[in-house]
Amino acid sequence: MTIRRSSNDRLGVLLVLAVGTFTVGTDAFVLNGLLPAIAADLHVTESVAGQLTTVFALTYAIASPLIAAFTGDWDRRWLLAGGMALFTAGMAGQALGTSFAVVALARLLAAIGAAAFQSNAYVLAGALSSEARRGRALATVAAGMSVSMVLGVPIGVLAGTWFGWRAVMWGIGVVAVVVAALIPVIPEVRLPAAGLRARLEVVRRRPVARVLLVTISGTLAGFTVFVYLPVLVAPVATGAVLSWVLVGSGLGQVIGTTVTGRATDRFGPARVLALSLAGTAVVLAVLDLAVRSLPGTLLLALFSGVFGGMLMVPQQHRLFTLAPDAPTVALGLNGSAIYVGGALGSALGGVVLAAAGPAWVGPVGALAAVAALGAALRSASPTTSPRSARTATPPAR
């Protein structure tokens, strides 16, 4: 691994990466809040419009390992800049698209750009940090995704109500251009090249595969519900009120992500992960009861955000420990696993919504969270304890 540092402060680099994940996260999540308007504009049902999330997630899952394999030991700054350029083009395509097919194609392009940027952002955060502070570095970058739910998504929903959903797409594209302009503050970082064969070799390691399975199933549980949240809370929260529900969810994400960084470093990732999945299962199990009143809906959003925000940092930490010789590959695979889970969850939620109705979406998500918890408990091993994490061989610098 080669890292050429300039006089730039490391915190500044992490903040640039966090702003990038904020931008990508706003696009990934704001679509859910705008789902009714998009469905009406494109003349499709809400369950069909929800598949735009499936398109994004599935494309990201496939593109992430392919990009990493074909870019080898490139300077990571080129990948960050190129990813933002593609992402911006995808946002413009969504803003201009007049049919479901065109908008879906634009989301595919945006997903490729997001894959190039976001997976490398997490890899850089881990590579530029020490073992003792890796959890906090990863949490800083992950906080961009959480803040997108606190600020980006609610503001996007309000702007969509006032100016239309296409204006929201243009706005996200403008922020992406700003992020691209800030990329030169990042030092040159080159990581060991890893082709598809190496990636397949890493995923064949049983402990790594088990961690990735937990990522898929845990993300599936959340996306089964969150993609269709505007439909589920429609009796008590629409328009501006829906924005406050999304603020509650995003605030919970920020709390969960912030607490998780230090908790993972102190208690180990296995305990934090178990708490995240158990809490998610409970919250989703009571969803149908909670959404019968606005206070219940707000509490549901807050706690679902807290437990959901606790999921990814311990997973990333475990992968750094389990694959110290190939952290770039492992985190890239985890990024793909996140979006595989997102694609499966949004597809599953759409099927349940169309076939059984809103009342069944929460229980199905809760069952998925219970399955993820079972997989997490089975995958727990001494190598993920705080002591072994400290003694694991760090990646070469």
Side-chain angles (χ1 to χ4, degrees):
M1 178 187 298
T2 300
I3 302 177
R4 292 181 182 155
R5 306 181 191 275
S6 66
S7 60
N8 298 302
D9 183 76
R10 181 179 297 173
L11 178 60
V13 172
L14 292 176
L15 289 176
V16 171
L17 298 176
V19 172
T21 59
F22 165 83
T23 308
V24 173
T26 300
D27 174 52
F29 296 128
V30 77
L31 194 76
N32 305 335
L34 300 171
L35 201 62
I38 293 173
D41 193 3
L42 300 180
H43 307 292
V44 296
T45 65
E46 290 169 338
S47 60
V48 170
Q51 301 316 306
L52 290 171
T53 299
T54 305
V55 169
F56 187 98
L58 191 59
T59 301
Y60 186 110
I62 296 171
S64 182
L66 292 177
I67 290 171
F70 286 109
T71 55
D73 59 353
W74 288 16
D75 182 354
R76 298 294 105 176
R77 292 175 297 183
W78 285 101
L79 293 175
L80 295 174
M84 271 299 160
L86 287 176
F87 180 80
T88 302
M91 298 313 300
Q94 292 176 74
L96 295 171
T98 57
S99 68
F100 179 84
V102 172
V103 174
L105 183 62
R107 283 198 67 75
L108 184 150
L109 183 63
I112 295 174
F117 183 92
Q118 189 168 316
S119 59
N120 280 290
Y122 287 117
V123 169
L124 281 171
L128 292 171
S129 65
S130 65
E131 177 70 28
R133 299 184 64 86
R134 183 166 293 142
R136 275 161 279 189
L138 291 168
T140 299
V141 177
M145 187 72 70
S146 300
V147 172
S148 73
M149 299 184 67
V150 175
L151 298 178
V153 174
I155 291 174
V157 171
L158 283 176
T161 302
W162 296 335
F163 306 111
W165 68 273
R166 296 178 189 278
V168 176
M169 301 297 106
W170 284 119
I172 296 172
V174 170
V175 178
V177 172
V178 174
V179 173
L182 292 173
I183 287 175
V185 308
I186 299 174
E188 179 183 352
V189 177
R190 295 181 184 273
L191 302 171
L196 286 176
R197 179 176 297 180
R199 292 174 182 280
L200 293 175
E201 179 62 32
V202 171
V203 80
R204 281 200 293 263
R205 301 180 190 179
R206 186 168 297 178
V208 172
R210 287 174 175 170
V211 171
L212 296 177
L213 178 62
V214 173
T215 295
I216 291 172
S217 53
T219 308
L220 183 154
F223 268 71
T224 298
V225 173
F226 185 75
V227 171
Y228 303 96
L229 192 61
V231 179
L232 302 179
V233 304
V236 295
T238 58
V241 179
L242 174 61
S243 296
W244 285 108
V245 173
L246 296 176
V247 166
S249 177
L251 181 61
Q253 283 271 348
V254 171
I255 294 171
T257 302
T258 302
V259 171
T260 300
R262 293 184 179 275
T264 298
D265 289 336
R266 181 174 181 181
F267 300 110
R271 293 180 180 178
V272 177
L273 179 64
L275 177 60
S276 169
L277 294 172
T280 297
V282 172
V283 168
L284 297 185
V286 301
L287 183 146
D288 189 53
L289 179 62
V291 298
R292 296 179 184 179
S293 67
L294 182 57
T297 299
L298 291 171
L299 286 174
L300 173 91
L302 177 66
F303 282 103
S304 66
V306 169
F307 293 120
M310 296 172 66
L311 178 61
M312 280 308 128
V313 170
Q315 287 291 86
Q316 292 162 341
H317 197 289
R318 294 171 80 195
L319 289 170
F320 260 104
T321 303
L322 293 171
D325 58 321
T328 306
V329 176
L331 261 69
L333 291 169
N334 192 62
S336 293
I338 291 171
Y339 283 91
V340 167
L344 294 175
S346 56
L348 175 61
V351 170
V352 174
L353 181 63
W360 287 95
V361 176
V364 170
L367 288 175
V370 170
L373 176 60
L377 294 176
R378 288 194 298 272
S379 68
S381 68
T383 59
T384 58
S385 67
R387 178 181 178 183
S388 62
R390 288 193 296 268
T391 58
T393 303
R397 292 177 180 259

